[in-house]
């Protein structure tokens, strides 16, 4: 099995894993192969076209541990060889399977990089990772819509837990690299912006914690809507999008145009690469 980091809006690794899948409209499990994989989705190769929006029951074996989860097809294309490639988002992972699944993804390491290439990848990752917000919005909104049919709490808790882990790492990198560099090398007139963005990180983290606790506190039979959790989640996603927009349109262009800031970022990433 070969693992290779791909340049995408979210870190995906080329890894060929056999996966069992079943369309919601079918009782039969079939075999497919992943072409790439990340914590929130994968590209599935199969012998049949999987309709866009189709709900899927899935199973994959990691270190002899079977992991069951649910997903949804978001696009399907046919290759020249006649196979089909379907983009699948992960909606719900079994409780027992979440830890080994996340550990497996974390084990897919990128090849060693030089400081300069690492610099390009880190900065590019920080900027492009904001696109994952769109993916989370799509997944969460789908779960909220399904909540009217009595489903949702476990699915949304799983997705929010994944999002919290991703955002925690993302915020840390931004604060230790971009924000710190900006405070040292950018004119003082921009320090207020960085302070505000840092505070927004704290507020977003606390807000997400409160929502997750509210979901975990639901009693059997209680739904997301009757407790107003759906409105809290939608409000949180809006705040997250607004925060990302401020970074992309206000801070990032300033950093990219400052030669000293770029030099400092290159040095900092080099130190990380070299340990």
């Amino acid at each position: 099995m070969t693992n290779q980091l791909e340049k995408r809006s979210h870190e995906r690794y080329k890894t060929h894993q056999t996966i069992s899948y079943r369309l919601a409209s079918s009782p039969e499990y079939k075999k497919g192969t992943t072409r790439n994989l990340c914590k929130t989705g994968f590209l599935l190769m199969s012998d049949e076209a999987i309709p866009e929006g189709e709900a899927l029951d899935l199973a994959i074996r990691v270190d002899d541990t079977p992991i069951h989860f649910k997903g949804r097809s978001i696009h399907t294309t046919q290759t020249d060889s006649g196979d089909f490639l379907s983009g699948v988002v992960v909606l719900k992972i079994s409780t027992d399977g979440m830890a080994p699944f996340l550990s497996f993804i974390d084990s897919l390491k990128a090849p060693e990089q030089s400081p300069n290439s690492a610099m390009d990848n880190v900065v590019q990752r920080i900027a492009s990772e904001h696109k994952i917000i769109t993916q989370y919005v799509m997944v969460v909104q789908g779960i909220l819509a399904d909540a009217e049919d009595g489903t949702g709490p476990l699915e949304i808790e799983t997705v929010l837990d994944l999002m919290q882990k991703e955002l925690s790492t993302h915020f840390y990198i931004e604060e230790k690299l971009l924000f710190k560099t900006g405070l040292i090398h950018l004119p003082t007139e921009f320090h207020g912006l960085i302070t505000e963005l840092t505070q927004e990180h704290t507020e977003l983290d606390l807000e997400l914690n409160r929502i997750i606790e509210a979901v975990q506190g639901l009693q059997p039979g209680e739904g997301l809507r009757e407790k107003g959790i759906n409105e809290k989640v939608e409000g949180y996603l809006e705040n997250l999008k607004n925060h990302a927009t401020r970074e992309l349109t206000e801070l990032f262009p300033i950093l990219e145009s400052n030669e000293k800031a770029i030099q400092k970022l290159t040095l900092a990433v080099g130190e990380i690469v070299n340990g």
Side-chain angles (χ1 to χ4, degrees), residues 179-192:
F179 293 3
K180 183 177 180 180
T181 299
L183 289 173
I184 295 173
H185 296 288
L186 292 182
T188 55
E189 62 188 275
F190 298 112
H191 290 187

Side-chain angles (χ1 to χ4, degrees), residues 1-8 10-16 35-38 104-105 107-113 121:
M1 179 179 67
T2 302
N3 301 323
Q4 181 178 344
L5 181 66
E6 290 190 334
K7 293 183 178 179
R8 289 174 174 258
H10 189 60
E11 283 189 9
R12 289 197 177 195
Y13 295 88
K14 288 183 178 179
T15 179
H16 292 182
R35 298 299 297 272
N36 61 49
L37 187 64
C38 75
F104 173 68
I105 300 299
S107 72
L108 302 178
K109 302 297 183 183
E112 232 177 272
Q113 301 169 326
N121 286 339

Side-chain angles (χ1 to χ4, degrees):
M1 179 179 67
T2 302
N3 301 323
Q4 181 178 344
L5 181 66
E6 290 190 334
K7 293 183 178 179
R8 289 174 174 258
S9 61
H10 189 60
E11 283 189 9
R12 289 197 177 195
Y13 295 88
K14 288 183 178 179
T15 179
H16 292 182
Q17 297 283 328
T18 300
I19 190 166
S20 299
Y21 72 91
R22 180 178 67 185
L23 279 62
S25 57
S26 171
E28 179 186 0
Y29 271 96
K30 299 181 180 180
K31 296 290 186 181
T33 305
T34 64
R35 298 299 297 272
N36 61 49
L37 187 64
C38 75
K39 294 178 181 178
T40 58
F42 56 92
L43 188 63
L44 174 66
M45 174 174 277
S46 61
D47 295 330
E48 63 177 345
I50 299 177
E52 181 178 338
E54 181 76 22
L56 298 168
D57 292 320
L58 303 128
I60 189 171
R61 186 172 290 275
V62 175
D63 295 332
D64 293 327
T65 300
I67 298 173
H68 298 274
F69 55 103
K70 293 184 180 295
R72 179 178 293 131
S73 171
I74 57 174
H75 64 77
T76 297
T77 58
Q78 187 171 20
T79 68
D80 293 337
S81 62
D83 295 317
F84 293 88
L85 294 175
S86 301
V88 178
V89 292
V90 175
L91 298 181
K92 170 187 172 183
I93 303 176
S94 62
T95 303
D96 293 339
M98 183 176 294
F101 178 76
L102 294 178
S103 295
F104 173 68
I105 300 299
D106 288 338
S107 72
L108 302 178
K109 302 297 183 183
E112 232 177 272
Q113 301 169 326
S114 67
N116 284 340
S117 64
M119 163 65 189
D120 293 338
N121 286 339
V122 169
V123 174
Q124 186 178 53
R125 171 185 171 180
I126 291 173
S128 63
E129 255 186 4
H130 289 86
K131 296 178 183 178
I132 197 175
I133 296 172
T134 302
Q135 184 180 28
Y136 277 118
V137 169
M138 179 184 66
V139 172
V140 172
Q141 287 178 337
I143 294 174
L144 293 178
D146 292 341
E148 295 181 350
D149 300 324
T151 62
L154 184 56
E155 289 91 337
I156 203 167
E157 181 181 346
T158 300
V159 174
L160 293 179
D161 183 66
L162 287 169
M163 181 165 65
Q164 186 178 48
K165 291 179 174 64
E166 298 292 341
L167 287 175
S168 178
T169 300
H170 180 71
F171 289 167
Y172 178 83
I173 293 174
E174 283 188 333
E175 291 175 13
K176 294 300 181 182
L177 286 179
L178 297 188
F179 293 3
K180 183 177 180 180
T181 299
L183 289 173
I184 295 173
H185 296 288
L186 292 182
T188 55
E189 62 188 275
F190 298 112
H191 290 187
L193 170 62
I194 295 174
T195 300
E196 290 176 9
L197 292 174
T198 303
Q199 181 60 35
E200 287 180 7
H201 280 181
T202 301
E203 294 171 354
L204 287 167
D205 186 52
L206 291 173
E207 186 180 359
L208 185 54
N209 274 328
R210 288 193 292 268
I211 292 173
I212 292 175
E213 289 175 357
V215 174
Q216 293 172 339
L218 288 173
Q219 299 300 312
E222 289 184 331
L224 298 174
R225 293 188 179 279
E226 59 191 274
K227 288 295 184 178
I229 294 176
N230 60 313
E231 295 179 357
K232 294 177 181 178
V233 173
E234 290 169 351
Y236 177 81
L237 293 176
E238 187 64 27
N239 291 337
L240 189 59
K241 287 190 292 182
N242 291 337
H243 171 78
T245 298
R246 290 194 69 192
E247 290 181 335
L248 289 170
T249 61
E250 297 180 38
L251 179 62
F252 285 17
I254 301 168
L255 283 171
E256 291 175 346
S257 65
N258 188 289
E259 185 176 348
K260 288 185 178 180
I262 292 297
Q263 291 175 350
K264 179 62 177 179
L265 284 170
T266 304
L267 178 61
V269 173
E271 291 174 350
I272 292 173
V273 172
N274 296 323

